[in-house]
């Protein structure tokens, strides 16, 4: 199996292997936990060891810098087995990780040198026409969910590009093409099947209000989710896709984006303007979306009038639109995300974003030839948080005003550049925050979206005033902090 991995992943595996061998003492107790799990679970679940195909799939991540060499991996197939696994890991105090779609860019959030739990066997998609809900297994990616629902004429509020996992996305908030119409993904979850840290499986719905609140943004702090129950929404064909623009057109793209952000009030219309820097030049990947087969005249004309480099816009299925942009353009490179919350994407902010793109693109490509950097401008309507009650979810901590996320993404090849890339992503977010403040936007302390925020961001910045309530819920359901053995955004016990 190892020969099938790209060469740079092989090198990375070697780099991880040596320290793992050195930490041999620790590893022996992890091996004991792997063996205990192997002996305890039913035939619906399985433990895998290094060098097997399944192990390689279980530890793989979208960003290679998020892949760790686990001691073993396990694919639980039932909630009972998952409960048994958590009991063994808890009583042995064995480090572990939980992986849904493996798109976390922060190292160690869904990877470990301990026991890798991969949720892939939880893979149902079941639409209930009576309750207008959809049950979705925690091991799926959104592409699979959309494809299964398409013939039924319904959809759920999920991811915007190909390959992203349902679980981590939904447990953190969830910004969707459907968000202007229906809110965040957390605003559209009715129930969870949850394996508690003590191994007991429960259904979390409105009869368990503290956990329902906590799971809407609180990640893996309260146990492991095996199934989400989403509200179903009607879905027909949509319009849109990807246009790319080169350097000469960037002033026109900035103007079109600022005009869209400041004037469009149709909740079915949405865009992502991605500024990137590739092969020495800035450019833009422009995603357009309209939730109907044909958009009304006017909304997208300014974008469509700009001379383009490539253009793939059509009336299509929702899943086809989601797959229109290559999510793996960089193919397994190392990566980091960071974020800024913006109140308004006006011309001043977009000028600052373009300046950051050119500044960091030129500077970082001197360090590592494989550098790709991008800034996603996501001009949602400022009413995006108004689709759910004020205190219904752990994230966002306040719904008093809409916060529009900006996603910074740097990709590179060499592990020796890790620190510089991380530090640069911090500096760039700070620069853009300063630019927004100078523009009169009160965002110096605005809450940040955890699925975009860089490791090291204080959890107070994600959960705000909700942190005390989350800590109380954590003390009630995970007093011995079993879930603290797994990485991620951690609520203090
Ligand atoms: C290409 C790309 C596009 C993206 N687009 C969007 C977007 O449009 N909108 C948006 O909001 N975000 C987007 N994101 C961010 C995305 O929400 C996060 O990367 C998210 O973590 C992905 O979920 P996952 O299941 O793939 O992650 P994973 O890496 O598998 O998990 C992330 C976190 O969730 C925890 N977790 C996973 N499964 C479970 C479970 N069953 N129970 C408990 N905890 C669990 C993990 O332990 C980890 O801490 C995008 C990311 C990428 C890389
Ligand atoms: C990207 O994903 C597509 C579709 O899943 C796949 O065919 C292609 O080989 C991938 N490219 C890279 C560079 O990994
Ligand atoms: C461009 O960005 C760099 C790096 O953040 C910053 O030092 C510089 O002041 C910016 N220039 C302008 C004109 O904003
Ligand atoms: C696990 O915790 C839940 C919630 O605190 C409790 O109801 C349940 O009885 C516990 N199960 C066991 C086996 O202790």
């Amino acid at each position: 199996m190892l020969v099938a991995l790209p060469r740079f992943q092989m090198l990375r595996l070697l780099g991880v292997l040596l320290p793992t061998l050195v930490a041999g003492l620790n590893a022996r107790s992890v091996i004991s936990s792997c063996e205990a799990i192997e002996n305890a679970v039913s035939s619906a679940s399985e433990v895998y060891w290094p060098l097997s195909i399944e192990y390689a799939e279980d530890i793989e991540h979208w960003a290679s810098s998020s892949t760790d060499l686990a001691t073993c991996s396990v694919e639980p197939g039932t909630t009972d087995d998952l409960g048994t696994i958590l009991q063994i890991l808890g009583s042995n105090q064995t480090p572990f990780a939980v992986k849904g779609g493996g798109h976390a860019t922060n190292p160690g959030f869904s990877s470990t040198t301990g026991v890798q739990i991969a949720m892939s066997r939880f893979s149902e998609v079941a639409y209930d026409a009576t309750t207008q809900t959809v049950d979705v297994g925690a091991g799926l990616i959104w592409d699979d969910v959309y494809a299964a629902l398409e013939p039924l004429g319904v959809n759920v509020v999920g991811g915007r590009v190909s390959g992203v996992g349902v679980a981590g996305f939904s447990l953190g908030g969830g910004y969707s093409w459907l968000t202007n119409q229906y809110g965040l993904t957390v605003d559209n979850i009715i129930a969870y099947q949850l394996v508690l840290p003590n191994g007991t499986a429960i259904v979390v719905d409105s009869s368990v209000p503290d956990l329902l609140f906590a799971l809407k943004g609180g990640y893996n702090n309260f146990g492991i989710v095996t199934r989400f129950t989403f509200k179903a929404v009607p879905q027909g064909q949509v319009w849109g896709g990807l246009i790319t623009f080169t350097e000469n057109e960037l002033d026109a793209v900035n103007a079109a984006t600022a005009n869209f952000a400041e004037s469009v009030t149709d909740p079915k219309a949405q865009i992502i303007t991605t500024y990137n820097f590739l092969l020495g030049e800035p450019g833009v990947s422009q995603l357009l979306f309209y939730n109907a087969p044909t958009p009304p005249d006017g909304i997208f004309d300014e974008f469509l009038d700009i001379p383009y480099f490539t253009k793939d816009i059509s009336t299509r299925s929702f899943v086809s639109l989601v797959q229109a942009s290559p999510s793996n353009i960089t193919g397994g490179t190392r990566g980091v995300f960071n974020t800024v919350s913006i109140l308004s994407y006006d011309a001043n902010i977009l000028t600052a974003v373009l300046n950051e793109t050119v500044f960091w693109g030129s500077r970082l490509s001197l360090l590592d030839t494989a550098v790709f950097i991008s800034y996603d401008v996501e001009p949602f309507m400022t009413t995006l948080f108004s689709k759910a009650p004020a205190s219904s979810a752990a994230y966002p901590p306040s719904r008093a005003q809409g916060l529009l996320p900006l996603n910074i993404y740097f990709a590179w090849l060499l592990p020796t550049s890790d620190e510089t890339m991380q530090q640069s992503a911090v500096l760039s977010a700070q620069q853009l925050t300063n630019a927004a403040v100078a523009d009169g936007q009160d965002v110096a302390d605005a809450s940040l979206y955890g699925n975009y925020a860089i490791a090291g961001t204080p959890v107070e910045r994600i959960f705000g005033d909700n942190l005390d309530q989350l800590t109380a819920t954590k003390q009630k359901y995970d007093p011995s902090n079993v879930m603290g053995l797994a990485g991620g955004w951690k609520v203090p016990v």
Side-chain angles (χ1 to χ4, degrees), residues 61-62 97-105 109-110 119 138 159-169 171 173-176 219-220 223-226 228 327 337 449 451-452 487-489:
H61 281 71
W62 179 76
V98 189
K99 191 186 90 167
H103 272 49
T105 40
F109 272 41
S110 53
M119 298 298 288
R160 285 174 291 181
V161 304
S162 184
V164 181
V166 168
F169 182 103
L171 286 165
Y175 290 80
S176 170
Y219 294 97
N220 62 14
I224 300 179
V225 173
T226 55
F228 299 84
S327 74
F337 276 8
Y449 179 36
N451 272 330
Y452 288 172
W489 298 117

Side-chain angles (χ1 to χ4, degrees), residues 172 175 184 219 338-343 345 384-385 393-406 433 442-454 457-467 489:
Y175 290 80
L184 300 178
Y219 294 97
N338 201 4
T339 191
V340 179
S341 292
I342 296 291
L343 299 184
Y345 282 109
L384 84 169
F385 291 160
Y395 176 86
S398 165
R399 288 177 187 259
Q401 73 180 347
L403 298 173
L404 316 181
L406 181 143
T433 304
D442 179 18
V443 292
D445 303 309
S447 66
L448 298 172
Y449 179 36
N451 272 330
Y452 288 172
I454 192 169
T457 302
V459 284
E460 290 79 3
R461 281 302 294 279
I462 298 167
F463 300 117
D465 291 342
N466 285 340
L467 200 54
W489 298 117

Side-chain angles (χ1 to χ4, degrees), residues 87 196-202 211 476-479:
Q87 285 168 345
L196 288 164
N198 67 6
T200 301
I202 62 168
L211 276 176
K476 178 169 163 193
Y477 293 100
D478 192 13

Side-chain angles (χ1 to χ4, degrees), residues 6 8 60 143 162-163 323 326-332:
F8 56 82
E60 196 187 1
D143 307 48
S162 184
Q323 292 175 341
S327 74
N328 61 349
I329 190 167
T330 46

